[in-house]
Amino acid sequence: MNSEVQNAPEVYLSVDEIPLAQPFSLLVSVCSETAVRQMRVDAIMPAHQHSMNYTPKVTALDGRTFRVDDMLFHMPGLWELQVDVDINDQSIFYTSKIALK
C-alpha cells in the first residue's frame, strides 16, 4: 500500500480472492516497531464518487496485524482501498488501487 507520509511504516495486504458483489475478508499487516492503536478501512470508486455499501469490521489480531471482514465491492471497476492507522499518536493514510472485473 502507498502513503504520502515520509518514512511511513510499510503496510501489506493479504487476500485470497476479491469476488464481485460478495463479502470477503483480508489481512492487513503493519511493519512498525510500535503497535497500531487503531485502524479504519474503507474503499471508494473514484470514478463514481461513492464508497462501499457496507461498513467493514476491523479486528486486531495483535498490535500489527488486523483482520478486515465484511468487505464488499458491489460493482466492477477501479476501487481504491483506504487504510488509516494510528501509530505514535499520528494518523497515517494508505491507499491501494484494485481493478475488479
Side-chain angles (χ1 to χ4, degrees):
M1 297 197 75
N2 300 315
S3 176
E4 292 184 6
V5 174
Q6 198 169 26
N7 299 320
E10 295 289 325
V11 170
Y12 297 98
L13 301 175
S14 177
V15 61
D16 290 333
E17 179 183 353
I18 300 177
L20 177 61
Q22 294 183 22
F24 67 95
S25 299
L26 57 93
L27 290 179
V28 181
S29 301
V30 181
C31 297
S32 171
E33 293 180 12
T34 305
V36 175
R37 290 185 35 211
Q38 185 178 13
M39 177 180 289
R40 291 163 298 284
V41 177
D42 198 1
I44 64 167
M45 288 194 85
H48 298 271
Q49 299 182 345
H50 66 73
S51 61
M52 296 187 300
N53 291 337
Y54 299 91
T55 302
K57 179 183 175 192
V58 179
T59 304
L61 302 179
D62 59 37
R64 292 165 188 81
T65 306
F66 296 80
R67 180 180 171 93
V68 183
D69 294 305
D70 301 329
M71 296 289 297
L72 193 142
F73 294 167
H74 59 275
M75 59 189 299
L78 182 64
W79 287 85
E80 181 180 282
L81 181 66
Q82 302 174 331
V83 175
D84 189 17
V85 297
D86 292 340
I87 303 173
N88 291 330
D89 296 323
Q90 178 183 14
S91 180
I92 304 175
F93 189 75
Y94 296 84
T95 60
S96 182
K97 305 269 189 227
I98 298 171
L100 191 61
K101 295 182 181 185

